[in-house]
Amino acid sequence: MSPERHAPTTVLPVIVTTAAELGARLDAARAEGRTVGLVPTMGALHRGHAGLIRLAAERCDVTVVSVFVNPLQFGAGEDFEAYPRDLDADADLAGRAGADVVFAPPVEEMYPRPIQTTVHVDGITTVLEGAFRPGHFDGVSTVVAKLFALTGRCRAYFGEKDWQQLAVVRRMAADLSMPVAVIGVPTVREPDGLALSSRNVYLSPAEREVAPLIHLALQAGAQLVADGETDPVSISSVMVSVLATEPAFDLHYAVAVDPHSLVSPPAFHPGDEVRLLVATRLGRARLIDNAGAIVGLPQTPYDRKADTTCAGA
Ligand code: PAF
């Protein structure tokens, strides 16, 4: 597993397109006692992905970045065809961040025939994103289960921006005893608070200008929780009122939920962890974001920093 060097400061990862080659390389690495880190992506890599890759590369001997736009997780009328694809740019960014291997299989390698077996995580997949994107999480858990099977024993790094996805993948790996440690990594943001997302490219300049209101709404909700508010409806209302100041948002939800069950209890209690989740359409883009807070525990500058950097795991 020796990545090809083409300039003193740049390391090109090996690009692998078949499951057989990926398995052979990773089995050989593990046979030598090397650990494997996996960063599953759909490409269009940005600084948020780079943070995940850097963390994997720091913690693991061999880092694999998968780049696969998974048709199973797109619904009718969603942006599967339009989803940005640029493998050269992705391999470049992945290599600079420390990836050794980019696994970029064609669709027919991942799904050589119509799939008859899918993975369904019950309960947490039908609410929030699941309610707006029926079947989406079955597509995600099925492809992630395949990526885990093809990669083998590893640590897998996922961004907290997709909080519900992270909860679904964690639950799947635990329920099915997969030999994978699932690690969530804090969201990376633009200086004005907008969470990095491959879909931000869909925003017009005017939409980009108002998009940071999503983070402001989450911060307002988090502040209320930190101040001791226990009523999920009141917390939701404050987030809704921030977003209502901008008519360009078509708000899908702004909720305060238990971070694991993703359900709003009748009331939170002092010391409870709360996850605030927002989804909104803004022009062509559908944006999601989230933040955490603890009831009655003042938000420290450290908490705010942890939400804006990629440190820790
Ligand atoms: O978060 C993503 O990019 C995708 O949902 C994932 C986890 C790579 C599965 O296709």
Side-chain angles (χ1 to χ4, degrees), residues 99-187:
D100 302 292
V101 177
V102 168
F103 177 51
V107 172
E108 48 289 2
E109 178 71 11
M110 288 297 277
Y111 303 117
R113 54 194 168 178
I115 197 156
Q116 286 180 283
T117 307
T118 56
V119 179
H120 173 72
V121 177
D122 213 10
I124 54 175
T125 54
T126 49
V127 295
L128 304 171
E129 285 307 281
F132 281 87
R133 305 181 68 188
H136 168 69
F137 286 117
D138 290 354
V140 170
S141 39
T142 300
V143 80
V144 172
K146 283 178 71 86
L147 291 168
F148 285 0
L150 297 174
T151 304
R153 183 171 294 278
C154 67
R155 291 162 70 90
Y157 295 81
F158 291 83
E160 285 187 351
K161 189 181 88 64
D162 295 298
W163 184 264
Q164 190 173 5
Q165 168 173 281
L166 179 58
V168 168
V169 169
R170 277 207 169 111
R171 190 62 200 242
M172 172 189 76
D175 282 355
L176 299 181
S177 307
M178 293 174 165
V180 177
V182 176
I183 295 150
V185 182
T187 301

Side-chain angles (χ1 to χ4, degrees), residues 39-43 49 66-70 73-74 83 136 139-141 143-144 147 157-159 162 165 169 198:
V39 181
T41 82
M42 296 204 301
H49 295 110
S66 63
V67 172
F68 180 65
V69 185
N70 172 36
Q73 69 188 76
F74 289 78
Y83 200 84
H136 168 69
V140 170
S141 39
V143 80
V144 172
L147 291 168
Y157 295 81
F158 291 83
D162 295 298
Q165 168 173 281
V169 169
S198 305

